[in-house]
Amino acid sequence: MIFEHLDTYGHEQVVFCHNKDVGLKAIIAIHNTVLGPALGGTRMWPYASEQDALNDVLRLSRGMTYKNAVAGLNLGGGKAVIIGDPATGKSEGLFRAFGQCVESLGGRYITAEDVGIDVNDMELVYRETQFVTGVHQVHGGSGDPSPFTAYGTMQGLLASLNRKFGNEDVGNYSYAVQGLGHVGIEFVKLLSERGAKVFVTDINPDRVARAVDEYGAEAVGLDEIYDVDADVYSPCALGGTVNETTLPRLKARIICGAANNQLANNATGDEVEKRGILYAPDYAVNAGGVMNISLEIDGYNRERAMRMMRTIYHNLTRIFEISERDGVPTYMAADRLAEERIETMGKLKLPLGRAQPRFQGRVRGA
Ligand code: NAD
């Protein structure tokens, strides 16, 4: 049963981590290391069953292979899940035992924060293994990736405007931004600095008030965001918001935002294309976060990070070209770009997957 799954998705290795004394039940999935060591975060979640946890880690690790490949990183795809409730199940022992498990893989898998895990948890993991990114700045880490993700989203937007309208005049278009969290509010700021008309919504009224007061945005209701007359719909909250119910309502000509898994399914992606809406594939647009933490491996540098974010523009342009070349929707073209890069690099037989991450300039300990 498990090997059938691994055959289907092409995973290289799946490791079950168990420590009875501290209650650790975790799974690390390494999907593909052709481009380099597998990088992907650790999620802590009270999964209803072990099978659910396994399904999630297999799906997410495969997603990281594609994301890292399209981002142009010399990194493969991996992910870890810890089965447990992040509100009640955390302990020093749990994270240190998990860190030992990561360490035992000798750098084939490099972890980071994901849902349910924060920088304090990672500090504990970091005590047991150096194969951690997203550590605190006091350790030479990269800190909060959100401003970089927002800046990367802007690069994706510029490429999309160019493709759709033949210019990059951000201020000439209007935007519907859904979600004003860490990334969304930064993105609104970048849009307003360029003189754009921005409609915003969030379940948190304080965040809406900030966007209105500080950046001159216009507030709309949670559901109303799908009906506003905006040129660009920018999902920056949850996944699955482009679906059969919302799509007929959207007036936007472009979908470009930071949220993960924006399309409810592939059929929605096909329908988006049919309607003549340009979809900027989410995992190419929001790669700023993973690009930023990846730089910790060779010694973090902010200038390099900003330069790297700008490559998102070219990645999107390439995706649009492949979409046209092959006559396929952009979501499919993004996958092809990833697969082509992995295939080409695989033929070069670079020993990247076995290269030892260096983690220069970082300090361990308190
Ligand atoms: P966040 O939790 O800080 O912000 C999410 C915001 O969405 C919150 O303000 C929340 O109130 C709002 N929200 C939730 N449900 C909503 C709804 N139904 N309608 C309107 N608003 C709603 O998260 P974030 O770090 O800003 O990330 C936003 C999205 O981008 C997520 O999908 C995340 O996975 C993705 N992403 C983030 C990063 C990063 O660097 N933070 C990197 C890659 C992808």
Side-chain angles (χ1 to χ4, degrees):
M1 173 65 187
I2 289 180
F3 283 106
E4 236 171 68
H5 257 81
L6 305 190
D7 269 355
T8 311
Y9 298 113
H11 288 76
E12 291 178 11
Q13 189 178 8
V14 178
V15 180
F16 290 81
C17 315
H18 180 245
N19 186 315
K20 195 173 158 206
D21 296 329
V22 298
L24 175 71
K25 285 183 187 171
I27 313 173
I28 299 174
I30 295 176
H31 177 251
N32 187 296
T33 58
V34 170
L35 296 177
L39 174 72
T42 299
R43 178 167 293 194
M44 185 168 184
W45 195 252
Y47 291 100
S49 71
E50 289 166 11
Q51 188 63 50
D52 283 359
L54 180 63
N55 291 345
D56 210 26
V57 79
L58 293 180
R59 180 180 65 85
L60 294 167
S61 55
R62 183 170 180 272
M64 287 310 298
T65 295
Y66 282 79
K67 183 169 196 158
N68 293 341
V70 165
L73 300 173
N74 291 324
L75 290 166
K79 200 89 181 182
V81 295
I82 297 176
I83 302 173
D85 189 340
T88 54
K90 292 186 177 181
S91 69
E92 178 182 358
L94 181 93
F95 288 115
R96 293 187 70 161
F98 176 68
Q100 288 174 354
C101 194
V102 173
E103 178 67 17
S104 74
L105 294 169
R108 272 175 58 74
Y109 169 65
I110 302 168
T111 196
E113 288 102 344
D114 194 64
V115 176
I117 301 284
D118 62 30
V119 73
N120 299 315
D121 306 326
M122 274 302 147
E123 299 267 306
L124 298 170
V125 176
Y126 191 44
R127 286 183 189 229
E128 301 296 332
T129 180
Q130 64 173 323
F131 303 122
V132 178
T133 53
V135 299
H136 198 278
Q137 276 149 316
V138 297
H139 298 295
S142 56
D144 178 11
S146 308
F148 295 92
T149 302
Y151 184 72
T153 304
M154 176 54 74
Q155 305 310 306
L157 173 67
L158 292 172
S160 305
L161 290 175
N162 198 332
R163 181 78 188 175
K164 192 73 191 168
F165 302 123
N167 67 71
E168 298 173 13
D169 301 330
V170 175
N172 283 349
Y173 300 99
S174 53
Y175 302 83
V177 180
Q178 180 182 43
L180 302 167
H182 290 90
V183 181
I185 196 76
E186 286 291 327
F187 188 55
V188 168
K189 178 174 175 237
L190 295 176
L191 291 172
S192 81
E193 282 169 0
R194 289 161 177 77
K197 167 75 190 165
V198 188
F199 300 93
V200 294
T201 194
D202 196 293
I203 48 176
N204 182 329
D206 294 340
R207 294 185 180 163
V208 175
R210 184 173 163 210
V212 171
D213 296 345
E214 290 184 28
Y215 305 123
E218 182 175 333
V220 299
L222 284 176
D223 194 51
E224 221 185 316
I225 196 78
Y226 302 111
D227 301 315
V228 292
D229 198 0
D231 299 304
V232 180
Y233 167 54
S234 182
C236 293
L238 310 170
T241 61
V242 183
N243 54 49
E244 58 181 21
T245 317
T246 58
L247 187 53
R249 293 164 61 186
L250 288 183
K251 297 181 183 65
R253 312 276 306 282
I254 293 174
I255 298 173
C256 178
N260 278 314
N261 304 318
Q262 293 166 20
L263 302 176
N265 48 42
N266 289 350
T268 309
D270 298 339
E271 186 58 30
V272 168
E273 183 83 7
K274 269 194 215 137
R275 287 173 182 259
I277 301 173
L278 180 66
Y279 170 62
D282 46 15
Y283 70 80
V285 170
N286 70 19
V290 74
M291 286 177 166
N292 201 48
I293 57 171
S294 78
L295 288 171
E296 288 183 25
I297 295 171
D298 285 333
Y300 186 70
N301 175 305
R302 202 188 138 82
E303 288 308 308
R304 279 187 67 204
M306 294 308 275
R307 281 195 64 191
M308 205 181 226
M309 297 310 131
R310 289 195 276 276
T311 63
I312 290 176
Y313 181 101
H314 302 289
N315 300 339
L316 263 296
T317 303
R318 186 77 194 110
I319 289 167
F320 299 147
E321 284 167 1
I322 292 174
S323 166
E324 189 170 317
R325 179 195 74 188
D326 296 355
V328 296
T330 52
Y331 78 85
M332 217 181 269
D335 287 359
R336 287 194 186 178
L337 175 59
E339 286 158 7
E340 284 172 12
R341 181 163 179 249
I342 292 167
E343 198 189 331
T344 309
M345 294 303 134
K347 282 186 190 145
L348 293 177
K349 296 201 172 28
L350 300 174
L352 290 170
R354 291 183 292 283
Q356 193 70 0
R358 284 178 293 170
F359 294 102
Q360 288 169 347
R362 289 208 326 205
V363 190
R364 293 175 79 194

